[in-house]
Coordinates of all heavy atoms in Angstrom, one line a residue:
A150 N -8.1 0.8 4.2 CA -7.6 -0.1 5.3 C -8.2 0.4 6.6 O -8.3 1.6 6.8 CB -6.1 -0.1 5.3
V151 N -8.6 -0.6 7.4 CA -8.8 -0.4 8.8 C -7.6 -1.0 9.5 O -7.3 -2.2 9.3 CB -10.1 -1.1 9.3 CG1 -10.3 -1.0 10.8 CG2 -11.3 -0.5 8.6
V152 N -6.9 -0.2 10.3 CA -5.7 -0.6 11.0 C -5.9 -0.6 12.5 O -6.1 0.6 13.1 CB -4.4 0.2 10.6 CG1 -3.2 -0.4 11.3 CG2 -4.3 0.2 9.1
N153 N -6.0 -1.7 13.2 CA -6.2 -1.7 14.6 C -4.9 -1.9 15.4 O -4.2 -2.9 15.1 CB -7.2 -2.8 15.0 CG -8.6 -2.5 14.5 OD1 -9.0 -1.4 14.3 ND2 -9.3 -3.6 14.1
I154 N -4.6 -0.9 16.3 CA -3.3 -1.1 17.0 C -3.6 -1.9 18.3 O -4.3 -1.5 19.2 CB -2.9 0.4 17.4 CG1 -2.7 1.3 16.2 CG2 -1.5 0.2 18.1 CD1 -1.9 0.8 15.1
N155 N -3.0 -3.1 18.2 CA -3.3 -4.1 19.2 C -2.0 -4.2 20.1 O -1.1 -3.5 20.0 CB -3.7 -5.4 18.6 CG -4.6 -6.2 19.5 OD1 -4.6 -6.2 20.7 ND2 -5.6 -6.9 18.9
S156 N -2.0 -5.3 20.9 CA -0.9 -5.6 21.9 C -0.6 -7.1 21.9 O -1.5 -7.9 21.6 CB -1.4 -5.1 23.2 OG -0.6 -5.6 24.3
G157 N 0.6 -7.4 22.3 CA 1.0 -8.8 22.5 C 0.1 -9.5 23.6 O -0.1 -10.7 23.6
L158 N -0.5 -8.6 24.4 CA -1.4 -9.1 25.5 C -2.7 -9.7 24.9 O -3.4 -10.3 25.6 CB -1.7 -8.0 26.4 CG -0.5 -7.5 27.2 CD1 -0.9 -6.2 28.0 CD2 0.1 -8.6 28.2
A159 N -2.9 -9.4 23.7 CA -4.1 -10.0 23.0 C -3.9 -11.5 22.8 O -4.9 -12.3 22.7 CB -4.4 -9.4 21.6
L160 N -2.7 -11.9 22.8 CA -2.3 -13.4 22.5 C -2.0 -14.1 23.8 O -2.3 -15.3 23.8 CB -1.0 -13.4 21.7 CG -1.0 -12.6 20.4 CD1 0.3 -12.6 19.7 CD2 -2.1 -13.1 19.4
A161 N -1.5 -13.4 24.8 CA -1.3 -14.1 26.1 C -1.4 -12.9 27.2 O -0.7 -12.0 27.1 CB 0.0 -14.8 26.2
P162 N -2.4 -13.1 28.1 CA -2.6 -12.0 29.1 C -1.6 -12.0 30.3 O -0.9 -13.0 30.5 CB -4.0 -12.3 29.6 CG -4.0 -13.8 29.6 CD -3.3 -14.2 28.3
K163 N -1.6 -10.9 30.9 CA -0.8 -10.8 32.2 C -1.7 -10.8 33.5 O -3.0 -10.6 33.2 CB 0.1 -9.6 32.2 CG -0.6 -8.3 32.1 CD 0.4 -7.1 32.2 CE -0.3 -5.8 32.1 NZ 0.6 -4.6 32.2
K164 N -1.1 -10.9 34.6 CA -2.0 -10.9 35.8 C -2.7 -9.6 36.0 O -3.8 -9.6 36.4 CB -1.1 -11.2 37.0 CG -1.8 -11.4 38.4 CD -0.9 -11.4 39.6 CE 0.0 -12.7 39.5 NZ 0.8 -12.8 40.7
Q165 N -2.0 -8.5 35.9 CA -2.6 -7.2 36.1 C -3.4 -6.8 34.8 O -3.3 -7.4 33.8 CB -1.5 -6.2 36.3 CG -0.8 -6.3 37.7 CD 0.1 -5.1 38.0 OE1 0.5 -4.4 37.1 NE2 0.3 -4.9 39.3
S166 N -4.2 -5.8 35.0 CA -4.9 -5.2 33.9 C -5.8 -6.2 33.1 O -5.7 -6.3 31.9 CB -4.0 -4.5 33.0 OG -3.1 -3.6 33.7
A167 N -6.6 -6.9 33.8 CA -7.4 -8.0 33.2 C -8.4 -7.4 32.2 O -8.6 -8.0 31.1 CB -8.2 -8.7 34.3
V168 N -9.0 -6.3 32.4 CA -9.9 -5.7 31.5 C -9.2 -5.2 30.2 O -9.6 -5.5 29.1 CB -10.7 -4.5 32.1 CG1 -11.5 -3.8 31.1 CG2 -11.5 -4.9 33.3
Y169 N -8.0 -4.6 30.4 CA -7.2 -4.2 29.2 C -6.8 -5.4 28.4 O -7.0 -5.4 27.1 CB -6.0 -3.5 29.7 CG -5.1 -3.0 28.6 CD1 -5.3 -1.8 28.0 CD2 -4.0 -3.8 28.1 CE1 -4.5 -1.3 26.9 CE2 -3.2 -3.3 27.1 CZ -3.4 -2.1 26.5 OH -2.6 -1.7 25.5
C170 N -6.4 -6.5 29.0 CA -6.1 -7.7 28.3 C -7.2 -8.3 27.5 O -7.1 -8.7 26.3 CB -5.5 -8.8 29.2 SG -3.9 -8.4 30.0
A171 N -8.4 -8.2 28.2 CA -9.6 -8.8 27.6 C -10.0 -7.9 26.3 O -10.4 -8.5 25.3 CB -10.7 -8.7 28.6
T172 N -9.9 -6.6 26.5 CA -10.3 -5.7 25.3 C -9.3 -6.0 24.1 O -9.8 -5.9 23.0 CB -10.2 -4.3 25.6 OG1 -9.0 -3.9 26.1 CG2 -11.2 -4.0 26.8
K173 N -8.1 -6.2 24.4 CA -7.1 -6.5 23.3 C -7.4 -7.8 22.6 O -7.3 -8.0 21.4 CB -5.7 -6.3 23.8 CG -5.3 -4.9 24.2 CD -5.5 -4.0 23.0 CE -5.1 -2.6 23.3 NZ -5.3 -1.7 22.2
A174 N -7.7 -8.8 23.4 CA -8.1 -10.2 22.9 C -9.3 -10.1 22.0 O -9.4 -10.6 21.0 CB -8.3 -11.2 24.0
A175 N -10.3 -9.3 22.5 CA -11.5 -9.1 21.8 C -11.2 -8.3 20.4 O -11.9 -8.6 19.4 CB -12.6 -8.3 22.7
M176 N -10.4 -7.3 20.5 CA -10.0 -6.6 19.3 C -9.4 -7.5 18.3 O -9.7 -7.4 17.1 CB -9.1 -5.5 19.6 CG -8.7 -4.7 18.4 SD -7.4 -3.5 18.6 CE -8.3 -2.1 19.2
N177 N -8.6 -8.5 18.8 CA -8.0 -9.5 17.8 C -9.1 -10.2 17.0 O -9.0 -10.3 15.8 CB -7.2 -10.5 18.6 CG -6.5 -11.5 17.7 OD1 -6.0 -11.2 16.6 ND2 -6.5 -12.8 18.2
H178 N -10.2 -10.7 17.7 CA -11.2 -11.4 17.1 C -12.1 -10.4 16.2 O -12.6 -10.8 15.1 CB -12.1 -12.1 18.1 CG -11.5 -13.4 18.4 ND1 -12.2 -14.5 18.8 CD2 -10.1 -13.8 18.5 CE1 -11.4 -15.6 19.1 NE2 -10.2 -15.1 18.9
F179 N -12.3 -9.2 16.7 CA -13.1 -8.2 15.8 C -12.4 -8.0 14.5 O -12.9 -8.0 13.5 CB -13.2 -7.0 16.7 CG -13.8 -5.8 15.8 CD1 -15.1 -5.8 15.4 CD2 -13.0 -4.8 15.4 CE1 -15.6 -4.8 14.6 CE2 -13.5 -3.7 14.6 CZ -14.8 -3.8 14.2
T180 N -11.0 -7.8 14.6 CA -10.2 -7.7 13.4 C -10.3 -8.8 12.4 O -10.6 -8.6 11.2 CB -8.7 -7.4 13.7 OG1 -8.6 -6.3 14.7 CG2 -7.9 -7.2 12.6
L181 N -10.2 -10.0 13.0 CA -10.3 -11.2 12.0 C -11.7 -11.3 11.4 O -11.8 -11.6 10.2 CB -9.9 -12.5 12.8 CG -8.5 -12.5 13.4 CD1 -8.3 -13.7 14.2 CD2 -7.4 -12.5 12.2
S182 N -12.7 -11.1 12.2 CA -14.1 -11.3 11.7 C -14.4 -10.2 10.8 O -15.1 -10.5 9.7 CB -15.1 -11.2 12.9 OG -16.4 -11.5 12.5
L183 N -14.0 -9.0 11.0 CA -14.3 -7.9 10.1 C -13.5 -8.1 8.7 O -14.0 -7.8 7.7 CB -13.9 -6.5 10.6 CG -14.1 -5.3 9.8 CD1 -15.6 -5.0 9.6 CD2 -13.5 -4.1 10.4
R184 N -12.3 -8.7 8.9 CA -11.6 -9.1 7.7 C -12.4 -10.0 6.8 O -12.4 -9.9 5.6 CB -10.2 -9.7 8.1 CG -9.3 -9.9 6.9 CD -7.9 -10.5 7.4 NE -7.3 -9.6 8.3 CZ -6.3 -10.0 9.2 NH1 -6.0 -11.2 9.3 NH2 -5.8 -9.1 10.0
Y185 N -12.9 -11.0 7.4 CA -13.8 -12.0 6.7 C -14.9 -11.3 6.0 O -15.3 -11.6 4.8 CB -14.4 -13.1 7.6 CG -13.4 -13.9 8.4 CD1 -13.7 -14.4 9.6 CD2 -12.1 -14.1 7.9 CE1 -12.8 -15.2 10.3 CE2 -11.1 -14.9 8.6 CZ -11.5 -15.4 9.8 OH -10.6 -16.1 10.6
Q186 N -15.6 -10.3 6.7 CA -16.7 -9.6 6.2 C -16.4 -8.8 5.0 O -17.3 -8.6 4.1 CB -17.4 -8.8 7.2 CG -18.0 -9.6 8.4 CD -18.7 -8.7 9.4 OE1 -19.1 -7.6 9.2 NE2 -18.8 -9.2 10.7
L187 N -15.2 -8.3 4.9 CA -14.7 -7.3 3.9 C -13.9 -8.0 2.9 O -13.3 -7.3 2.0 CB -14.0 -6.1 4.5 CG -14.9 -5.2 5.4 CD1 -14.0 -4.1 6.0 CD2 -16.0 -4.6 4.6
E188 N -13.8 -9.3 2.8 CA -12.9 -10.0 1.9 C -13.3 -9.8 0.5 O -12.5 -10.0 -0.5 CB -12.9 -11.5 2.2 CG -14.1 -12.2 2.1 CD -13.9 -13.7 2.6 OE1 -12.8 -14.1 2.9 OE2 -15.0 -14.4 2.7
H189 N -14.6 -9.4 0.2 CA -14.9 -9.0 -1.2 C -15.0 -7.6 -1.5 O -15.6 -7.2 -2.6 CB -16.3 -9.7 -1.6 CG -16.3 -11.3 -1.4 ND1 -15.4 -12.1 -2.1 CD2 -17.0 -12.0 -0.6 CE1 -15.6 -13.3 -1.8 NE2 -16.5 -13.3 -0.8
H190 N -14.5 -6.8 -0.6 CA -14.3 -5.3 -0.8 C -12.8 -4.9 -0.9 O -12.0 -5.6 -0.3 CB -15.1 -4.6 0.3 CG -16.5 -4.8 0.4 ND1 -17.4 -4.0 -0.4 CD2 -17.3 -5.7 1.1 CE1 -18.6 -4.5 -0.1 NE2 -18.6 -5.4 0.7
P191 N -12.5 -3.8 -1.5 CA -11.1 -3.4 -1.6 C -10.7 -2.6 -0.3 O -10.1 -1.6 -0.4 CB -11.1 -2.5 -2.8 CG -12.5 -1.9 -2.9 CD -13.4 -3.0 -2.4
V192 N -11.0 -3.2 0.8 CA -10.6 -2.7 2.1 C -9.9 -3.7 2.9 O -10.5 -4.8 3.2 CB -11.8 -2.1 2.8 CG1 -11.4 -1.6 4.2 CG2 -12.5 -1.0 2.1
K193 N -8.6 -3.5 3.3 CA -7.9 -4.4 4.1 C -8.1 -4.1 5.6 O -8.2 -3.0 6.0 CB -6.4 -4.3 3.7 CG -6.1 -4.5 2.3 CD -4.6 -4.3 2.0 CE -4.4 -4.5 0.5 NZ -2.9 -4.3 0.1
V194 N -8.2 -5.2 6.4 CA -8.3 -5.1 7.8 C -7.1 -5.7 8.4 O -6.8 -6.9 8.3 CB -9.6 -5.8 8.3 CG1 -9.8 -5.6 9.8 CG2 -10.8 -5.3 7.5
M195 N -6.3 -4.7 9.1 CA -5.0 -5.1 9.6 C -4.8 -4.8 11.0 O -5.7 -4.1 11.6 CB -3.9 -4.3 8.8 CG -4.1 -4.1 7.3 SD -3.2 -2.9 6.5 CE -1.7 -3.9 6.1
Q196 N -3.9 -5.4 11.6 CA -3.6 -5.1 13.0 C -2.1 -5.1 13.3 O -1.4 -5.9 12.7 CB -4.4 -5.9 14.1 CG -4.1 -7.4 14.0 CD -5.1 -8.2 15.0 OE1 -5.5 -7.7 16.0 NE2 -5.4 -9.4 14.6
A197 N -1.7 -4.3 14.3 CA -0.3 -4.4 14.7 C -0.3 -4.8 16.2 O -0.8 -4.1 17.0 CB 0.3 -3.0 14.5
Y198 N 0.4 -5.9 16.4 CA 0.6 -6.3 17.8 C 1.9 -5.7 18.4 O 3.0 -6.0 17.9 CB 0.8 -7.8 18.0 CG -0.4 -8.7 17.4 CD1 -0.3 -9.3 16.1 CD2 -1.5 -8.9 18.2 CE1 -1.3 -10.1 15.7 CE2 -2.5 -9.7 17.7 CZ -2.4 -10.2 16.5 OH -3.5 -11.1 16.0
L199 N 1.7 -4.8 19.4 CA 2.9 -4.1 19.9 C 3.4 -4.7 21.2 O 2.6 -5.2 22.0 CB 2.5 -2.6 20.3 CG 2.2 -1.7 19.0 CD1 1.6 -0.4 19.5 CD2 3.5 -1.6 18.2
P200 N 4.7 -4.7 21.4 CA 5.3 -5.0 22.7 C 5.2 -3.8 23.6 O 4.5 -2.8 23.2 CB 6.7 -5.3 22.3 CG 7.0 -4.4 21.2 CD 5.7 -4.2 20.4
L201 N 5.9 -3.8 24.7 CA 5.9 -2.6 25.6 C 6.5 -1.4 24.9 O 7.6 -1.5 24.4 CB 6.7 -3.0 26.9 CG 6.4 -2.1 28.1 CD1 4.8 -2.4 28.5 CD2 7.3 -2.6 29.3
V202 N 5.8 -0.3 24.8 CA 6.2 0.9 24.3 C 6.3 2.0 25.3 O 5.5 2.1 26.2 CB 5.3 1.4 23.1 CG1 5.7 2.6 22.5 CG2 5.2 0.2 22.0
D203 N 7.3 2.9 25.2 CA 7.5 3.9 26.2 C 6.5 5.0 26.0 O 6.7 6.0 25.3 CB 8.9 4.5 26.0 CG 9.4 5.4 27.2 OD1 8.7 5.4 28.2 OD2 10.4 6.1 27.1
T204 N 5.4 4.9 26.7 CA 4.3 5.9 26.7 C 3.9 6.3 28.1 O 4.4 5.6 29.1 CB 3.1 5.4 25.9 OG1 2.5 4.3 26.7 CG2 3.4 4.9 24.6
A205 N 3.0 7.2 28.2 CA 2.6 7.6 29.6 C 1.9 6.4 30.3 O 2.0 6.3 31.5 CB 1.6 8.8 29.4
M206 N 1.2 5.6 29.5 CA 0.5 4.4 30.0 C 1.5 3.5 30.7 O 1.1 2.9 31.7 CB -0.3 3.7 28.9 CG -1.1 2.5 29.4 SD -1.7 1.5 28.1 CE -2.9 2.6 27.3
T207 N 2.7 3.3 30.2 CA 3.6 2.3 30.6 C 4.7 3.0 31.5 O 5.7 2.3 31.9 CB 4.3 1.6 29.5 OG1 5.2 2.5 28.8 CG2 3.3 0.9 28.6
F208 N 4.5 4.2 32.0 CA 5.5 4.9 32.8 C 5.8 4.1 34.1 O 5.0 3.7 34.8 CB 5.0 6.3 33.2 CG 6.0 7.0 34.1 CD1 7.1 7.6 33.5 CD2 5.8 7.2 35.4 CE1 8.1 8.3 34.3 CE2 6.7 7.8 36.2 CZ 7.8 8.4 35.6
G209 N 7.1 3.9 34.3 CA 7.6 3.2 35.5 C 7.4 1.6 35.5 O 7.7 1.0 36.4
R210 N 7.1 1.1 34.3 CA 6.9 -0.3 34.1 C 7.8 -0.8 33.0 O 7.8 -0.3 31.9 CB 5.4 -0.7 33.8 CG 4.5 -0.4 35.0 CD 3.2 -1.1 34.8 NE 2.3 -0.2 33.8 CZ 1.9 -0.7 32.6 NH1 2.3 -1.9 32.2 NH2 1.2 0.0 31.9
G211 N 8.5 -1.9 33.3 CA 9.2 -2.6 32.3 C 10.5 -1.9 31.9 O 10.8 -0.8 32.3
S212 N 11.3 -2.5 31.0 CA 12.5 -2.0 30.4 C 12.6 -2.4 29.0 O 11.9 -3.1 28.4 CB 13.7 -2.4 31.2 OG 13.8 -3.9 31.2
N213 N 13.7 -1.9 28.4 CA 13.9 -2.1 27.0 C 12.7 -1.9 26.0 O 12.4 -2.7 25.2 CB 14.4 -3.5 26.7 CG 15.7 -3.8 27.5 OD1 16.6 -3.0 27.4 ND2 15.8 -5.0 28.1
K214 N 12.0 -0.8 26.3 CA 10.8 -0.5 25.6 C 11.1 0.1 24.2 O 12.2 0.7 24.1 CB 10.0 0.5 26.4 CG 9.6 0.2 27.8 CD 8.9 1.3 28.5 CE 8.7 1.1 29.9 NZ 8.0 2.2 30.6
L215 N 10.2 -0.1 23.3 CA 10.3 0.6 22.0 C 9.9 2.1 22.3 O 9.1 2.4 23.1 CB 9.3 0.1 21.0 CG 9.6 -1.3 20.4 CD1 8.6 -1.5 19.3 CD2 11.0 -1.4 19.8
T216 N 10.6 3.0 21.6 CA 10.1 4.4 21.6 C 8.8 4.5 20.8 O 8.6 3.6 19.9 CB 11.2 5.3 21.0 OG1 11.3 5.0 19.6 CG2 12.5 5.2 21.7
C217 N 8.1 5.6 20.9 CA 6.8 5.8 20.2 C 7.2 5.9 18.7 O 6.5 5.4 17.8 CB 6.1 7.0 20.7 SG 5.4 6.9 22.3
E218 N 8.3 6.5 18.4 CA 8.8 6.7 17.0 C 9.1 5.3 16.3 O 8.7 5.1 15.2 CB 9.9 7.6 16.9 CG 9.7 9.1 17.2 CD 9.4 9.3 18.7 OE1 9.8 8.5 19.5 OE2 8.6 10.3 18.9
Q219 N 9.8 4.5 17.0 CA 10.1 3.1 16.6 C 8.7 2.3 16.3 O 8.6 1.6 15.3 CB 10.9 2.4 17.6 CG 12.4 2.9 17.6 CD 13.2 2.2 18.8 OE1 12.7 2.0 19.8 NE2 14.5 2.1 18.5
A220 N 7.8 2.4 17.3 CA 6.6 1.8 17.1 C 5.9 2.2 15.9 O 5.3 1.4 15.1 CB 5.7 1.9 18.4
A221 N 5.8 3.6 15.7 CA 5.1 4.1 14.6 C 5.7 3.7 13.3 O 5.1 3.4 12.2 CB 5.1 5.6 14.7
N222 N 7.1 3.7 13.3 CA 7.9 3.3 12.1 C 7.4 1.8 11.7 O 7.2 1.5 10.5 CB 9.3 3.3 12.3 CG 9.9 4.7 12.2 OD1 9.3 5.6 11.6 ND2 11.0 4.9 12.9
A223 N 7.4 0.9 12.6 CA 7.1 -0.5 12.4 C 5.6 -0.6 11.9 O 5.3 -1.5 11.1 CB 7.3 -1.3 13.7
I224 N 4.7 0.2 12.5 CA 3.3 0.1 12.1 C 3.2 0.5 10.6 O 2.5 -0.1 9.8 CB 2.4 1.0 13.0 CG1 2.3 0.4 14.4 CG2 1.0 1.1 12.5 CD1 1.8 1.3 15.5
I225 N 3.8 1.7 10.3 CA 3.7 2.2 8.9 C 4.3 1.3 7.9 O 3.8 1.0 6.9 CB 4.4 3.6 8.9 CG1 3.6 4.6 9.7 CG2 4.6 4.0 7.4 CD1 4.2 5.9 9.9
K226 N 5.5 0.7 8.3 CA 6.1 -0.3 7.4 C 5.2 -1.5 7.1 O 5.1 -2.0 6.1 CB 7.5 -0.8 7.9 CG 8.2 -1.6 7.0 CD 9.6 -1.9 7.4 CE 10.4 -2.6 6.4 NZ 9.8 -3.8 5.8
G227 N 4.5 -2.0 8.2 CA 3.6 -3.1 8.1 C 2.5 -2.8 7.2 O 2.1 -3.6 6.3
I228 N 1.9 -1.5 7.2 CA 0.9 -1.1 6.3 C 1.3 -1.1 4.9 O 0.7 -1.6 4.0 CB 0.3 0.3 6.7 CG1 -0.3 0.2 8.1 CG2 -0.8 0.7 5.7 CD1 -0.7 1.6 8.7
E229 N 2.5 -0.5 4.7 CA 3.1 -0.4 3.4 C 3.4 -1.7 2.7 O 3.2 -2.0 1.5 CB 4.4 0.4 3.4 CG 4.1 1.9 3.7 CD 5.4 2.7 3.9 OE1 6.4 2.1 4.3 OE2 5.4 3.9 3.5
D230 N 3.8 -2.7 3.6 CA 4.0 -4.0 3.1 C 2.9 -5.0 3.1 O 3.1 -6.2 2.9 CB 5.2 -4.7 4.0 CG 6.6 -3.9 3.8 OD1 6.7 -3.2 2.9 OD2 7.4 -4.1 4.7

Side-chain angles (χ1 to χ4, degrees):
V151 176
V152 183
N153 295 327
I154 307 306
N155 211 327
S156 165
L158 295 171
L160 307 175
K163 62 179 180 176
K164 183 190 297 184
Q165 291 189 337
S166 305
V168 175
Y169 181 84
C170 292
T172 60
K173 291 304 182 180
M176 181 188 274
N177 181 41
H178 278 211
F179 171 71
T180 301
L181 297 175
S182 185
L183 184 65
R184 187 181 298 161
Y185 301 153
Q186 293 180 27
L187 293 176
E188 61 187 354
H189 299 301
H190 294 275
V192 175
K193 300 176 182 181
V194 184
M195 317 169 87
Q196 62 184 331
Y198 299 103
L199 291 173
L201 203 61
V202 179
D203 190 11
T204 66
M206 183 191 294
T207 67
F208 178 77
R210 293 192 282 116
S212 58
N213 299 318
K214 304 174 188 177
L215 290 185
T216 66
C217 292
E218 290 71 25
Q219 288 172 327
N222 283 336
I224 292 165
I225 291 169
K226 188 175 188 305
I228 298 171
E229 291 175 330
D230 292 346

